[in-house]
Amino acid sequence: MWVPQNLDSKLPVYRAITDCLAIDIEQGRLAEGEKLPPMRDLADELGVTVGTILRAYDLAEQRGLLVKQTGRGSFVRSHRDHEQNKQDALDETGAVDLSRNTPPFINLEAQLRRSLIEIGKDSNLDGMLEYGQSQGLLRHREVLCEWLGGRGFAANPGRLIITGGAQQALTTALGALTSPGDTVLVEELSYPGIKNYARFFGINLVPVALDEGGLVPQSVEQACLRNSVKALYCMPFAHNPTTATMSQARIAEIAKMADQYGFFVIEDDVNPRSLKSDFKPIAAFNPERTVYISSLSKTISPGLRVGALMPPQGLLSQFLAASQTTSWMAPPLMAEVACHWIKDGTACELETQRNVITSNLLKQAADCLSEIEYRFNEATSHLWIPLRDTWKAEEFAETLGLRGVRVSPSSIFAVDPVSAPSGVRINLTNIDDTLLRQSLIAVVELLNSAPQATKFQM
């Protein structure tokens, strides 16, 4: 019977067991398809509870180390079981899709099943399927504010609105703040959906400059001197697509400018924090001029669709009306699952797992991309590759697609494609290592080659 050896005393026992399992599989002490001991037998052997072994096996299943077969037990996962992961990474043409900005995959099926059982037994489900409070249940808002407290500022449950993800929060913010014809500043490379919002709401987008340190305050000030600005939409931390994080000095400058020129900042802060991050958002510097948006999609689970919207206190009723217009309320059952995971430590565990996966992906990228210039942020799994004079972004992405790898060209993110920086975004995913390596090598090979002549019609 397999028994883990030399458990790390610094870790919770269940995590230490899972780590030992991973090491023994990697070093060949456990073979593919080998049956693992029944949970009660292993619990007795280690002198721990069956619940501890259950958490260890659940975590191992999430990490792709084992599979559970009803009535038979748990088995070391075969490499054949990774074929589905390979297929999930391919688009309809068979190309490896590195264009989607999604978090590293973790199998949450076992965790969700267990949590739903626990919620059914212990939680107050009264009203979960009825029209409820548009702002969200107070107990949910309190838990989400505790979670947001770890992101660098004190969130207020009285001001927080629970939304159906960050996208609904952004829709609500623009609907509450702007009218047709208003000017909104955006980073010259920004969330692609912002251009659709501009068409929907009839607002004018004015791009402001980015550099390796993120949003350039001087560019914001120049735009304010030339325009009557209603709002600034920006991503100060782990910017999408360039990965840049603004310094606290720049953050303070933007917060001061919001007062000076009378605009509101819509701060999009959805990316996970790295372990070493001490970043404080703009909302911590100027809460009365900042509309703060966050979400659990990149840190806990995209499918929960639980977001957080924190408007200035004086605008709460205005934002509630806009939120009701876009969606009467976020689904309270999803918020219940999210809060359950925050309270029982699952959210922290998932964030830790994704940080580990992201770190490993960045190491793989470093091995493959050492010959070229690229930018990254330890908190996220997407990379930014600046393109200089040889390649145009769309041409590079199209040619790479013909070689079986999809990436996102800067034109997707550019508010003004003529003046915006040129580059491509690559989103690393935890697919088969060989498949990822081949894809990254294809990027380097194409970047080191010159564009070829193409067919054309007279």
Side-chain angles (χ1 to χ4, degrees):
M1 181 178 80
W2 174 77
V3 177
Q5 305 294 323
N6 302 318
L7 296 177
D8 189 341
S9 60
K10 297 177 183 178
L11 297 175
V13 175
Y14 76 96
R15 281 191 60 192
I17 293 171
T18 305
D19 286 353
C20 283
L21 178 63
I23 292 170
D24 285 352
I25 292 172
E26 182 179 354
Q27 297 183 355
R29 288 189 286 271
L30 280 170
E32 291 183 24
E34 186 171 338
K35 187 173 183 179
L36 295 170
M39 286 185 282
R40 184 168 298 280
D41 291 355
L42 187 56
D44 290 342
E45 181 69 28
L46 296 176
V48 299
T49 66
V50 174
T52 297
I53 305 301
L54 174 61
R55 292 195 71 181
Y57 278 22
D58 282 351
L59 180 56
E61 185 177 30
Q62 291 170 20
R63 292 186 182 178
L65 301 174
L66 62 79
V67 290
K68 294 177 182 176
Q69 298 181 11
T70 303
R72 295 191 61 219
S74 299
F75 298 81
V76 175
R77 191 171 190 176
S78 166
H79 289 308
R80 290 186 298 274
D81 294 318
H82 293 291
E83 289 302 316
Q84 186 60 48
N85 280 353
K86 287 186 183 181
Q87 291 302 316
D88 291 342
L90 305 179
D91 68 9
E92 64 278 0
T93 68
V96 178
D97 190 355
L98 303 182
S99 67
R100 298 179 61 199
N101 188 19
T102 56
F105 174 77
I106 297 175
N107 186 346
L108 294 177
E109 181 180 352
Q111 183 64 57
L112 180 60
R113 288 180 184 278
R114 189 178 71 191
S115 296
L116 289 174
I117 293 171
E118 292 170 352
I119 289 170
K121 288 180 179 178
D122 302 328
S123 296
N124 178 8
L125 300 180
D126 185 41
M128 285 286 169
L129 299 179
E130 306 295 333
Y131 286 119
Q133 301 177 37
S134 296
Q135 193 172 351
L137 293 174
L138 177 59
R139 61 187 174 89
H140 291 162
R141 286 184 274 129
E142 289 173 341
V143 173
L144 288 173
C145 281
E146 289 180 19
W147 178 75
L148 288 173
R151 300 179 72 79
F153 79 113
N156 182 347
R159 281 202 291 135
L160 184 131
I161 301 171
I162 301 175
T163 63
Q167 198 159 349
Q168 191 211 336
L170 180 54
T171 306
T172 299
L174 291 170
L177 289 178
T178 67
S179 299
D182 282 346
T183 294
V184 175
L185 304 183
V186 294
E187 293 141 327
E188 58 186 340
L189 298 175
S190 186
Y191 166 56
I194 197 67
K195 291 181 279 190
N196 281 338
Y197 281 119
R199 288 189 284 269
F200 290 161
F201 289 108
I203 56 178
N204 300 314
L205 300 180
V206 173
V208 289
L210 288 165
D211 62 17
E212 293 186 11
L215 185 64
V216 178
Q218 293 81 357
S219 181
V220 174
E221 185 163 37
Q222 290 167 6
C224 288
L225 293 173
R226 293 192 300 265
N227 303 275
S228 176
V229 176
K230 193 62 172 285
L232 162 68
Y233 168 67
C234 60
M235 293 171 276
F237 181 81
H239 176 263
N240 177 25
T242 69
T243 78
T245 290
M246 291 172 64
S247 68
Q248 297 296 273
R250 287 195 184 190
I251 292 284
E253 277 192 76
I254 296 297
K256 185 177 179 180
M257 282 182 195
D259 284 329
Q260 182 180 355
Y261 294 103
F263 62 80
F264 290 95
V265 178
I266 303 173
E267 182 174 21
D268 191 336
D269 186 21
V270 298
N271 284 313
R273 296 283 193 262
S274 64
L275 297 176
K276 297 179 286 187
S277 174
D278 57 358
F279 178 85
K280 290 187 181 299
I282 300 172
F285 290 80
N286 192 345
E288 293 311 311
R289 277 282 164 185
T290 305
V291 178
Y292 181 81
I293 293 173
S294 192
S295 152
L296 306 184
S297 295
K298 298 289 194 294
T299 53
I300 298 180
S301 170
L304 285 177
R305 308 308 302 149
V306 175
L309 174 62
M310 181 83 69
Q313 182 62 46
L315 297 180
L316 179 59
S317 60
Q318 189 173 325
F319 272 72
L320 270 174
S323 179
Q324 290 171 339
T325 302
T326 59
S327 174
W328 181 262
M329 62 182 185
L333 189 56
M334 292 294 95
E336 182 69 26
V337 174
C339 292
H340 183 80
W341 283 356
I342 291 170
K343 289 188 294 184
D344 75 358
T346 298
C348 183
E349 175 65 44
L350 291 175
E351 194 157 11
T352 299
Q353 285 185 56
R354 286 204 169 93
N355 282 335
V356 170
I357 295 171
T358 297
S359 178
N360 289 334
L361 289 171
L362 291 175
K363 289 177 183 176
Q364 291 181 61
D367 289 341
C368 297
L369 305 179
S370 59
E371 298 178 15
I372 66 172
E373 177 190 357
Y374 72 96
R375 300 175 194 163
F376 70 95
N377 189 300
E378 291 180 345
T380 66
S381 57
H382 72 268
L383 309 175
W384 176 249
I385 299 179
L387 297 176
R388 303 306 178 188
D389 299 325
T390 305
W391 285 97
K392 293 181 179 179
E394 285 189 331
E395 184 181 18
F396 183 88
E398 182 179 353
T399 306
L400 190 62
L402 295 174
R403 297 188 181 189
V405 182
R406 286 188 60 196
V407 297
S408 299
S410 53
S411 54
I412 292 175
F413 311 97
V415 177
D416 180 2
V418 174
S419 62
S422 182
V424 293
R425 187 194 69 188
I426 295 177
N427 194 69
L428 305 174
T429 58
N430 49 330
I431 56 174
D432 176 78
D433 288 354
T434 301
L435 197 59
L436 180 59
R437 181 177 179 81
Q438 290 172 346
S439 301
L440 294 176
I441 289 174
V443 171
V444 175
E445 289 176 346
L446 183 60
L447 196 61
N448 287 333
S449 65
Q452 301 298 310
T454 58
K455 293 181 181 179
F456 64 94
Q457 296 290 331
M458 292 293 292

